[in-house]
Amino acid sequence: MRVFVLKKYPRYSLVLLLAIFACEGQTSAQNEPSAAEGTAANSAGKAILIQPVTLDIPVEAPQKKADPNAPKYADISITSTLEGGFVRAVGRELGPALAQIAKRALVWWVNPRTDLRKNDKIEIVYSVHEAKEPTIHAIWFVSQKLKTTKTAVWYKAEKNEFHRWFQPDGSELALRLKNAPIRRYEQITSLLKDGRGHKGMDFKSPVGSKIYAPFNAKVVRRNWSTRRNGLCLDLQRADGVRIYLLHLDKILPNIRVGTRVKTGQHIAFSGNTGRSTAPHLHYQIEKTQRGRVLDPLKMHKTSRFRLQGDEVKRMRLRLSRLKSLRSEPVR
């Protein structure tokens, strides 16, 4: 028996091969020689001519797998708590994390603990990443208290190392501290008014970012309560105000108890030590030791970075593209 492989139609080879077997079986039955003729007939057997057959069998195109990191849309209504609204919108597994990330934007508009109202609405476009926290690319907040809609987009400016929240007019959403203890940071992840009961301002930053003295002060403690605070410094101004810098990676060797430091002096490097779940600097100011906690936003002069020229147009274009995804809500 001869086996023919159709190079031009490889996907039909199996069907054609079955047809050959059937045809050859019928021919053998019709032309079976007698016992006396067997040898001669076998040696003189004729080849079976196979005509090419075209089979019209539809071939399905391979299904494209959905990208798990593709941006998704969620529509959140506030009926009681912020986290509860997110859980109802996207589920219990993802809701709490997205609520915390959204709060990092909301806190610059309202106090999430006291200013949210029933029927406030939040819309987000977000992505989920394996082994990383989710990203919210854009947020729209309809506030009953403010009587308006606030909007921000997660955008990387040319002059910035990291993405930051920007408003449609080109202004950065978060305020920047003059003489801040850290200059290289991704975002501010906690403020006093965010409802977490946190006593400081947290800056998410890569390990090894430089830490500076925010005021003229004297080092009064170094590395106390290291299990909780990690590597840490306690500075005191002349008026008694205390400054705590926690979760450090390294402290410069010349920064000892009794050392006097000047505003803007490099004194340490940021880290992820002690009771810390991710690299960051905890910056805390108190009136006296274990006294009234002061808000760094009121203790420092502040400013807002602004995009310039064509970069405002690029930011708005990104916001517009993200806005177009709001037609397919995730439930």
Side-chain angles (χ1 to χ4, degrees):
M1 180 187 72
R2 297 185 182 182
V3 178
F4 296 82
V5 178
L6 300 180
K7 294 184 179 179
K8 186 175 180 181
Y9 308 98
R11 62 177 178 270
Y12 301 139
S13 295
L14 179 58
V15 176
L16 185 56
L17 185 59
L18 292 174
I20 293 172
F21 276 117
C23 182
E24 203 168 41
Q26 292 175 4
T27 305
S28 298
Q30 295 172 2
N31 300 315
E32 185 175 356
S34 63
E37 299 172 336
T39 304
N42 287 341
S43 60
K46 296 181 179 179
I48 300 173
L49 299 177
I50 304 299
Q51 297 296 326
V53 179
T54 301
L55 302 177
D56 189 12
I57 301 175
V59 179
E60 292 185 4
Q63 293 292 325
K64 213 173 184 180
K65 290 186 178 180
D67 182 1
N69 298 324
K72 301 177 179 65
Y73 167 77
D75 185 354
I76 300 97
S77 294
I78 305 300
T79 57
S80 55
T81 65
L82 179 67
E83 183 172 309
F86 273 83
V87 169
R88 282 189 298 275
V90 299
R92 186 162 298 279
E93 182 178 352
L94 188 58
L98 281 176
Q100 287 300 321
I101 296 167
K103 190 185 292 185
R104 298 172 192 171
L106 297 176
V107 73
W108 297 102
W109 294 317
V110 295
N111 185 325
R113 183 178 56 181
T114 61
D115 294 341
L116 293 179
R117 302 286 188 265
K118 187 175 182 179
N119 297 324
D120 278 357
K121 185 177 180 181
I122 300 169
E123 295 177 86
I124 61 170
V125 174
Y126 69 96
S127 292
V128 179
H129 314 284
E130 188 175 351
K132 290 173 60 179
E133 71 176 13
T135 299
I136 294 181
H137 302 284
I139 185 168
W140 296 265
F141 172 46
V142 182
S143 170
Q144 305 298 315
K145 178 179 180 177
L146 301 178
K147 306 297 183 185
T148 188
T149 299
K150 294 291 187 178
T151 304
V153 60
W154 193 239
Y155 177 78
K156 184 183 177 301
E158 289 181 353
K159 293 183 178 180
N160 290 347
E161 181 180 359
F162 305 106
H163 284 72
R164 298 283 176 85
W165 286 113
F166 284 92
Q167 301 179 97
D169 65 356
S171 63
E172 186 177 345
L173 180 57
L175 291 169
R176 298 193 182 192
L177 304 181
K178 184 178 180 180
N179 296 323
I182 188 168
R183 299 167 192 168
R184 184 179 179 237
Y185 61 91
E186 289 189 45
Q187 60 178 311
I188 297 169
T189 56
S190 183
L191 295 174
L192 264 63
K193 67 174 184 177
D194 62 12
R196 292 175 54 193
H198 203 56
K199 293 184 177 181
M201 192 171 183
D202 283 353
F203 297 84
K204 181 181 179 181
S205 57
V207 172
S209 301
K210 289 184 177 181
I211 302 299
Y212 305 90
F215 304 100
N216 293 335
K218 181 173 73 172
V219 179
V220 292
R221 285 193 299 176
R222 172 177 166 150
N223 300 341
W224 77 102
S225 185
T226 52
R227 290 183 63 184
R228 180 172 182 173
N229 300 329
L231 204 59
C232 51
L233 279 172
D234 179 359
L235 312 178
Q236 182 173 313
R237 298 196 322 187
D239 60 0
V241 169
R242 303 289 283 262
I243 299 104
Y244 304 116
L245 303 166
L246 312 182
H247 311 302
L248 305 174
D249 183 58
K250 294 178 183 178
I251 299 173
L252 297 187
N254 62 321
I255 305 301
R256 305 182 184 92
V257 173
T259 300
R260 294 190 178 275
V261 295
K262 294 182 178 181
T263 303
Q265 180 180 338
H266 177 207
I267 57 177
F269 296 93
S270 68
N272 189 29
T273 57
R275 194 176 297 174
S276 171
T277 57
H280 75 285
L281 171 70
H282 173 96
Y283 177 41
Q284 183 172 330
I285 307 175
E286 293 186 359
K287 181 64 176 175
T288 57
Q289 186 180 6
R290 297 182 181 177
R292 181 166 59 93
V293 176
L294 304 175
D295 190 345
L297 292 172
K298 296 179 180 178
M299 295 296 293
H300 289 258
K301 290 182 178 180
T302 61
S303 63
R304 272 196 169 93
F305 176 82
R306 298 188 68 91
L307 300 174
Q308 301 295 325
D310 289 343
E311 194 157 27
V312 178
K313 296 179 183 178
R314 290 193 292 272
M315 178 272 294
R316 289 175 180 170
L317 178 60
R318 173 167 170 75
L319 179 60
S320 177
R321 288 172 176 170
L322 290 166
K323 186 177 181 180
S324 68
L325 298 176
R326 294 196 297 175
S327 60
E328 298 180 4
V330 174
R331 299 296 184 188

